[in-house]
């Protein structure tokens, strides 16, 4: 009895822990999309975030500095996306793919340039659990929810804050209007360009941080391609989360559950081929997409660029 | 005294001039009609004033001070506001959110709108703009959306109000109410620029008019100083022959032709429509439209007209009774088949249902017929033929455009309507379903459309003309059915046409049998 309970708690805790990259990347994608900027470079930005975050923590010895650097790198990618699409009005999808490839390349290039090839992998200390005073003492729940690393708390708080921002504030209303009908927003004096820049930049920051989470919590080091498709999954997550912060949060828990299960099954060794387990999150994505089909909607102006003087929007 | 002066305004789109040195002056406390044919540049001029378009050259003076407006927010800051011809609204937001978006709020962190709602309610009451503020905008009929657009501008408090064809979707009563409010606003110190194609409105409400043609000034007239004929001439242009026009001479007024015979091309047998949530949209409709007949459907907007059109097009299957097109139940064919074979359709909401703003003119002109000859052999579209016939239609229907390859959305409102007219009439389909076909057209184009209807009649084709413009119906139709709350309250033949009687039926008063 006790043993089962303990392992359930351990699982639940692990799911919450593995949820973070999905939450952060999903919310980052959502934020940009709410002004019509559709980021598809998550995988690349997360890799850069992981690489830069790791390097800076390694060199400076400060994990906080590492996180800040990963966010700055993500912000730069967001800025680039906003500039090319909002300013130069280039195709969002093409730019996004280009940024993805640049991200992949940079993420492996930077460690080689800065640290070089080493025999044993360089390590950074991983993020420690930060028990919340009092709350972490609650039986079971305390262990699951209040005895986690700081980014678990941050990602949940950010999700709630984003919900409040989007649906309960004037600025949020205006932000959403830009992604629905920028011409209407513009005609009411809302600064469309500024909204798109900020949402893309902050979205990029969150995606960069999502990437940095991987070396800082899971491995302690950077390895090539360590994001393993989580960036692509974040896009799917945002879609079936209906571009809503809270639904994205729940959806992230769902992905995390599958990830944890697939990992467990692999460790236990049931004879299910390893490749199949790797496919699992994507299969689940398709199933969920079918189930939620028609029930969710994306911002009407998603993926498009706004030009005031063009009538054909 | 001049409150606003625009001088030497030039604007070209892709090298084609839309405005070519236009002057415009607005006096305080006046309603100034800005007139001109479709594509004359009215919307473009006002979009420049509002900051949506940037002029190539020219000057704008407000209170004799030169101002530069580079975005709508600059215009709003100068207390200039605009009601747009093609509504700028967020479909997924509520009416309230659409109005308050971008405006300062008292509580900007809670989205509690108590204060603001009170202010809106006061404006609503004052100007008779009754709208449910909680409704989702995308669900609303065109007329209501138009009122939202007006409310949006009024809420912001303005000194100069630009109204770009604000009455196209309003009922005559609503138009009267709007005019009363406009008069009141002007008394309180507002100045209004009013764009319209309707003669009656110009004559009844405008103090002065400025007429544009092809991006140039034609004339500016003051009411009382110029005879009414000059106003009319200014509106319709030099070329139009008033004697020969159907609109002005009322050619059809006297002629009560015998009802044509032949098998009905459209027949409704007790057709009804009930929505999934149990609302009765249409009730027991029975009438037929015969070859060579123009059957009119009169009624106040929102009484089931849209549903009727969708029923005939097979977009919604009837939940009771039958609808027969050319003798065949509409349910036997898909809408695509109907459109390719027997029916041509001019939908009410041109931007949402009838037009692809991103596709080019040629593509828009064949929309619906893209699978039939001569445009296609069933597999591939023959673009050469399509472009050739598009070229022809552009000439024949006077569509003002750079060519068949131009993006559809760039056209002026009236020219988009002309595309839909050209598409529908050139199909020479046995049955035409036209819902407010002349909405937004200038007077000569309207007249042209009327002549096309009569051509169809002469050729023995049937037309179902659903219109909110009673004059139009009286002019063209052989019979008029009046629709009220989804029911046809009466069908009148031409010799019984009488404005008052029809008006009564439209408001739901049944005549004694
Ligand atoms: N954004 C744009 N891109 C390209 N061409 C444009 C654009 N806006 C307007 N035009 C062109 O400028 C000309 C004037 O258009 P405008 O909309 O001002 O006409 P209008 O007088 O308002 O006509 P209507 O009565 O039909 O509304 C048209 O030929 C139109 O095709
Ligand atoms: Mg116009």
């Amino acid at each position: 009895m006790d043993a089962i309970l303990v392992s359930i708690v351990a699982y639940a805790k692990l799911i919450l822990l593995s949820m973070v990259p999905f939450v952060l990347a999903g919310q980052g994608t959502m934020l940009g999309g709410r002004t019509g900027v559709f980021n598809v470079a998550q995988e690349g930005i997360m890799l850069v975030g992981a690489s830069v975050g790791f390097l800076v923590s390694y060199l400076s010895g400060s994990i906080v500095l590492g996180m800040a650097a990963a966010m700055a790198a993500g912000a730069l990618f967001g800025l680039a996306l906003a500039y090319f699409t909002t300013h130069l009005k280039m195709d969002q999808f093409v730019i996004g793919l280009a940024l993805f490839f640049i991200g992949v390349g940079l993420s492996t290039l930077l460690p080689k340039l800065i640290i070089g090839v080493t025999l044993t992998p360089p390590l950074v200390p991983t993020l420690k659990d930060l028990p919340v005073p009092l709350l972490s003492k609650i039986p079971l729940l305390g262990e699951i929810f209040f005895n986690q690393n700081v980014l678990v708390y941050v990602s949940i708080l950010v999700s709630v804050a984003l919900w409040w921002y989007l649906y309960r504030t004037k600025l949020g209303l205006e932000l959403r209007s830009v992604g629905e009908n920028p011409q209407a927003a513009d005609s009411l004096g809302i600064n469309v360009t500024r909204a798109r820049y900020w949402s893309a930049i902050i979205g990029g920051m969150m995606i960069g941080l999502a990437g940095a989470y991987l070396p800082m919590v899971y491995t302690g080091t950077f390895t090539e391609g360590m994001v393993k498709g989580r960036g692509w999954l974040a896009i799917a997550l945002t879609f079936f989360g209906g571009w809503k912060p809270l639904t994205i949060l729940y959806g992230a828990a769902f992905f995390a559950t599958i990830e944890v299960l697939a990992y467990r099954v692999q460790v236990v060794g049931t004879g299910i081929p390893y490749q199949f387990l790797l496919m699992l999150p994507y299969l689940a994505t398709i199933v969920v997409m079918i189930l939620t089909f028609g029930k969710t909607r994306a911002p009407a102006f998603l993926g498009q660029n706004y030009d005031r003087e063009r009538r054909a929007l | 005294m001049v409150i606003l002066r625009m001088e030497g305004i030039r604007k070209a789109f892709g090298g084609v001039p839309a405005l070519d040195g236009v002057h415009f002056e607005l006096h305080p406390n006046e309603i100034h009609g800005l007139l001109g044919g479709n594509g004359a540049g009215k919307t473009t001029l006002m979009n420049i004033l509002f900051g949506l378009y940037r002029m190539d050259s020219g000057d704008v003076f407000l209170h004799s001070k030169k101002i530069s407006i580079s975005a709508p927010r600059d215009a709003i800051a100068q207390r200039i506001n605009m009601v747009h011809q093609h509504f700028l609204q967020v479909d997924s937001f509520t009416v309230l959110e659409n109005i308050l978006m971008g405006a300062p709020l008292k509580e900007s962190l809670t989205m509690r709108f108590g204060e603001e709602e009170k202010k809106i309610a006061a404006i609503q009451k004052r100007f008779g703009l009754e709208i449910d503020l909680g409704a989702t905008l995308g669900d609303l009929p065109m007329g209501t959306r138009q009122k939202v657009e007006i409310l949006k501008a009024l809420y912001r408090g303005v000194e100069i109000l630009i109204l770009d064809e604000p009455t196209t979707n309003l009922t005559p009563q609503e138009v009267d109410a709007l005019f009363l409010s406009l008069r009141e606003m002007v008394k309180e110190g507002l100045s209004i620029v009013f764009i319209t194609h309707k003669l009656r409105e110009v004559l009844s409400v405008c103090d002065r008019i400025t007429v544009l043609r092809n991006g140039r000034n034609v004339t500016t007239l003051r009411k009382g100083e110029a005879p009414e004929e000059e106003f009319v001439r200014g509106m319709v242009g030099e070329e139009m022959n008033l004697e020969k026009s159907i609109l002005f001479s009322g050619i059809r007024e006297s002629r009560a032709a015998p009802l044509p015979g032949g098998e009905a091309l459209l027949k409704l047998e007790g057709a009804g429509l009930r929505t999934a949530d149990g609302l009765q949209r249409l009730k027991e409709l029975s009438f037929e439209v015969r070859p060579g007949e123009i059957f009119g459907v009169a009624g106040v907007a929102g009484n089931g007209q849209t549903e009727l059109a969708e029923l005939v097009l097979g977009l919604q299957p009837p939940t009771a009774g039958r609808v027969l097109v050319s003798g065949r139940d509409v349910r036997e064919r898909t809408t695509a088949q109907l459109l390719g074979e027997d029916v041509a359709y001019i939908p009410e909401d041109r931007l949402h249902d009838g037009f692809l703003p991103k596709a080019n003119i040629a593509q828009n002109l064949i929309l619906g017929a893209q699978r039939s000859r001569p445009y296609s052999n069933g597999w591939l579209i023959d673009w050469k033929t399509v472009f050739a016939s598009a070229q022809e239609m552009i000439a024949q229907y006077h569509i003002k455009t750079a060519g068949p390859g131009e993006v559809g959305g760039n056209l002026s409102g009236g020219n988009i309507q002309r595309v839909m007219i050209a598409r529908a009439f050139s199909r020479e389909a046995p049955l035409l379903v036209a819902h407010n076909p002349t909405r937004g057209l200038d007077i000569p184009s309207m007249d042209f459309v009327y002549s096309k209807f009569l051509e169809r009649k002469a050729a023995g084709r049937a037309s179902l003309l659903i219109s909110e413009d009673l004059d139009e119906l009286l002019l063209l139709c052989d019979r008029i059915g009046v629709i009220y709350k989804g029911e046809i309250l009466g069908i009148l033949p031409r010799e019984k046409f009488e404005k008052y009687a029809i008006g009564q039926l439209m408001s739901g008063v049944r005549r004694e049998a």
Side-chain angles (χ1 to χ4, degrees):
Chain A
M1 185 62 213
D2 255 13
I4 294 176
L5 209 58
V6 166
S7 73
I8 286 180
V9 168
Y11 269 110
K13 192 174 170 186
L14 198 57
I15 286 170
L16 236 59
L17 179 96
S18 335
M19 191 170 96
V20 175
F22 293 115
V23 177
L24 290 175
Q27 307 295 18
T29 311
M30 184 277 300
L31 193 63
R34 284 307 188 134
T35 60
V37 181
F38 185 23
N39 193 340
V40 293
Q42 287 83 348
E43 187 79 7
I45 300 176
M46 282 176 76
L47 278 168
V48 167
S51 171
V52 169
F54 162 73
L55 283 173
V56 171
S57 326
Y58 180 74
L59 296 177
S60 70
S62 156
I63 208 157
V64 174
L65 266 186
M67 286 197 256
M71 278 160 64
L76 273 181
F77 272 73
L79 175 67
L81 181 65
Y83 177 72
F84 282 113
T85 61
T86 303
H87 219 85
L88 302 182
K89 312 224 169 359
M90 290 159 83
D91 187 276
Q92 295 194 7
F93 194 69
V94 175
I95 296 299
L97 283 185
L99 289 177
F100 157 68
F101 282 113
I102 291 172
V104 173
L106 270 184
S107 71
T108 48
L109 181 65
L110 289 176
K112 291 223 173 84
L113 283 182
I114 293 169
I115 300 183
V117 184
T118 51
L119 276 178
T120 51
L123 286 175
V124 292
T126 51
L127 217 54
K128 300 220 169 24
D129 282 354
L130 187 79
V132 181
L134 296 180
L135 290 178
S136 59
K137 298 286 181 298
I138 304 170
L140 303 182
L141 293 183
E143 178 63 19
I144 298 173
F145 287 101
F146 301 108
N147 196 10
Q148 297 272 18
N149 69 59
V150 62
L151 285 180
V152 174
Y153 310 135
V154 166
S155 68
I156 293 173
L157 288 178
V158 159
S159 302
V160 175
L162 276 174
W163 170 83
W164 179 76
Y165 167 71
L166 284 178
Y167 294 103
R168 287 291 178 273
T169 71
K170 171 180 153 62
L171 287 176
L173 178 75
E174 295 180 358
L175 189 88
R176 285 188 287 136
S177 74
V178 172
E180 293 291 332
N181 186 343
Q183 192 152 29
D186 193 11
S187 76
L188 293 173
I190 294 165
N191 194 331
V192 173
T193 310
R194 195 166 65 192
R196 283 169 74 104
Y197 266 94
W198 276 120
S199 71
I201 290 171
I202 294 175
M205 264 163 95
M206 291 165 69
I207 299 170
L209 183 62
Y213 190 79
L214 305 173
M216 290 179 184
V217 172
Y218 293 168
T219 58
T221 187
F222 177 81
T223 50
E224 231 174 286
M226 71 182 303
V227 177
K228 291 211 185 90
R230 288 185 184 90
W232 302 116
L233 284 175
I235 301 179
L237 166 64
T238 317
F239 268 99
F240 79 64
W243 301 79
K244 292 189 184 128
L246 294 185
T247 325
I248 288 173
L249 182 64
Y250 310 141
F254 169 77
F255 273 124
T257 310
I258 293 179
E259 193 180 275
V260 169
L261 282 182
Y263 179 70
R264 278 284 127 182
V265 172
Q266 208 174 307
V267 170
V268 174
T270 49
I272 302 174
Y274 154 78
Q275 288 84 353
F276 180 79
L277 294 173
L278 283 185
M279 276 165 52
L280 217 54
Y282 299 94
L283 281 178
T285 303
I286 292 177
V287 171
V288 173
M289 283 300 228
I290 292 170
L291 292 178
T292 56
F293 181 77
K295 295 194 188 82
T296 60
R297 70 180 288 280
F301 203 68
L302 186 66
Q304 300 178 60
N305 296 331
Y306 174 58
D307 183 344
R308 188 182 281 155
E309 298 222 355
R310 272 189 44 205
R311 282 183 174 172
L313 287 179
Chain B
M1 236 274 270
V2 175
I3 181 168
L4 172 88
R5 202 170 70 215
M6 298 176 83
E7 228 166 59
I9 308 289
R10 277 172 213 281
K11 174 76 184 172
F13 292 102
V16 184
L19 294 176
D20 197 1
V22 170
H23 301 266
F24 181 76
E25 272 186 11
L26 188 64
H27 294 177
N29 309 335
E30 74 165 347
I31 301 182
H32 193 126
L34 181 58
L35 313 175
N38 297 130
K42 307 177 294 292
T43 302
T44 304
L45 185 66
M46 288 302 117
N47 275 349
I48 286 173
L49 177 57
F50 188 61
L52 272 174
Y53 289 172
R54 199 180 281 267
M55 58 193 164
D56 298 337
S57 64
D59 297 299
V60 180
F61 300 89
L62 187 68
H63 299 298
S64 313
K65 263 210 321 269
K66 192 169 158 163
I67 56 167
S68 112
I69 293 173
S70 61
R73 57 183 165 280
D74 301 337
I76 294 169
Q78 304 278 5
R79 299 177 41 87
I80 299 174
N81 221 311
M82 180 160 174
V83 167
H84 302 271
Q85 178 176 15
H86 291 147
F87 315 143
L88 297 180
Q89 299 168 343
V90 180
D91 286 1
S92 58
F93 283 11
T94 63
V95 172
L96 189 63
E97 288 169 337
N98 265 287
I99 295 171
L100 294 181
M101 215 168 100
L105 296 179
K106 186 145 173 291
E107 288 186 45
S108 63
L109 297 179
T110 58
M111 296 282 267
R112 267 194 297 245
F113 300 126
E115 199 95 340
E116 288 80 11
E117 254 179 289
K118 260 187 232 142
K119 189 173 159 197
I120 296 172
I123 300 173
Q124 277 187 300
K125 201 151 154 234
R126 196 155 149 231
F127 299 117
L129 297 163
E130 294 305 325
I131 315 163
D132 171 15
L133 293 180
T136 303
L137 204 103
D139 300 337
L140 298 174
M142 298 288 279
T144 317
R145 298 182 68 151
Q146 184 121 53
K147 288 190 240 169
V148 175
E149 198 68 13
I150 296 171
L151 201 51
K152 242 165 67 180
L154 294 183
Y155 176 78
R156 282 171 171 72
V158 286
E159 190 174 359
I160 295 176
L161 180 60
I162 307 160
L163 299 163
D164 194 351
E165 302 191 27
T167 56
T168 24
N169 298 295
L170 298 184
T171 64
Q173 293 86 331
E174 288 168 342
V175 171
D176 291 341
L178 177 68
F179 285 174
L180 282 180
S181 345
L182 292 188
R183 275 274 151 242
E184 236 181 86
M185 289 185 229
V186 165
K187 250 190 244 149
E188 283 173 20
L190 240 76
S191 307
I192 293 174
V193 184
F194 184 67
I195 302 179
T196 184
H197 292 293
K198 295 183 186 156
L199 196 53
R200 185 180 79 91
E201 296 179 354
V202 173
L203 295 178
S204 71
V205 81
C206 294
D207 302 311
R208 293 197 305 148
I209 60 169
T210 291
V211 180
L212 300 182
R213 188 170 313 141
N214 287 328
R216 288 167 203 255
N217 286 80
V218 174
T219 177
T220 299
L221 300 169
R222 175 185 294 282
K223 186 141 79 196
E225 281 177 11
E228 203 162 282
E229 292 85 84
E230 229 175 289
F231 262 63
V232 174
R233 195 34 92 183
M235 282 200 73
V236 301
E238 301 301 325
E239 292 98 59
M240 190 171 172
N241 184 336
L242 296 185
E243 267 74 58
K244 272 204 195 151
S245 90
I246 300 165
L247 196 64
F248 287 97
S249 62
I251 284 176
R252 299 246 308 146
E253 206 68 72
S254 52
R255 221 185 75 229
L259 272 186
E263 206 207 322
L265 289 171
L266 171 67
K267 190 168 183 184
L268 277 77
E269 297 175 347
L273 187 69
R274 183 189 280 277
T275 58
D277 41 8
L279 289 174
Q280 190 81 34
R281 295 278 183 207
L282 294 172
K283 208 160 130 195
E284 300 244 357
L285 301 185
S286 295
F287 63 85
E288 48 183 52
V289 188
R290 277 162 268 182
E293 184 178 14
I294 303 174
F295 186 95
V297 176
V300 177
N303 272 292
Q305 289 96 323
T306 310
E307 289 82 357
L308 172 60
E310 291 183 350
L311 210 61
V312 176
L313 264 294
L315 289 166
Q316 300 204 50
T319 49
R322 291 205 303 165
V323 178
L324 302 167
V325 171
S326 303
R328 288 167 68 189
D329 198 312
V330 282
R331 276 172 290 200
E332 284 174 30
R333 287 184 275 183
T334 62
T335 302
Q337 283 170 326
L338 280 166
L339 282 176
E341 291 161 13
D342 288 340
V343 193
Y345 181 37
I346 302 173
E348 173 192 31
D349 183 354
R350 60 175 169 239
L351 282 193
H352 286 97
D353 300 336
F355 198 76
L356 301 176
K358 282 185 185 153
N360 64 33
I361 312 275
Q363 288 163 342
N364 269 297
L365 278 168
I366 64 156
L367 206 61
Q370 71 273 27
R371 288 168 211 231
S372 355
R373 289 186 182 285
Y375 303 132
S376 147
N377 58 12
W379 296 100
L380 296 172
I381 293 181
D382 175 5
W383 288 110
K384 230 184 183 162
T385 314
V386 171
F387 269 74
S389 73
Q391 202 86 57
E392 248 171 62
M393 283 191 247
I394 288 171
Q396 203 199 336
Y397 291 85
H398 316 287
I399 298 165
K400 197 184 169 218
T401 169
E406 189 179 346
V407 179
N410 284 346
L411 293 187
S412 80
N415 278 293
I416 291 179
Q417 192 67 23
R418 287 182 191 171
V419 169
M420 308 224 305
I421 297 280
R423 179 169 72 209
F425 281 95
S426 65
R427 291 286 298 147
E428 304 191 340
L431 177 66
L432 168 70
V433 179
H435 195 170
N436 291 332
T438 55
R439 175 171 283 178
L441 290 183
D442 58 29
I443 293 174
S445 318
M446 254 167 102
D447 204 59
F448 177 73
V449 172
Y450 293 166
S451 74
K452 282 285 172 186
F453 267 101
L454 297 183
E455 260 175 45
R456 278 184 64 84
K457 181 176 168 55
R461 302 190 186 105
S463 312
L464 179 68
L465 173 58
I466 305 171
S467 176
E468 278 139 40
D469 183 346
L470 197 49
D471 294 325
E472 175 171 295
L473 292 167
L474 293 173
L475 195 61
L476 290 176
C477 297
D478 298 298
R479 291 188 296 156
I480 294 178
V482 182
I483 193 166
Y484 177 77
K485 292 203 170 156
E487 221 178 325
I488 298 268
L489 290 191
I491 297 177
L492 295 97
R494 197 164 178 84
E495 56 277 11
K496 294 241 178 83
F497 281 5
E498 205 217 321
K499 234 179 168 171
Y500 180 74
I502 297 178
Q504 279 217 313
L505 284 175
M506 279 167 63
S507 56
V509 182
R510 249 181 241 264
R511 278 189 305 177
E512 308 301 315

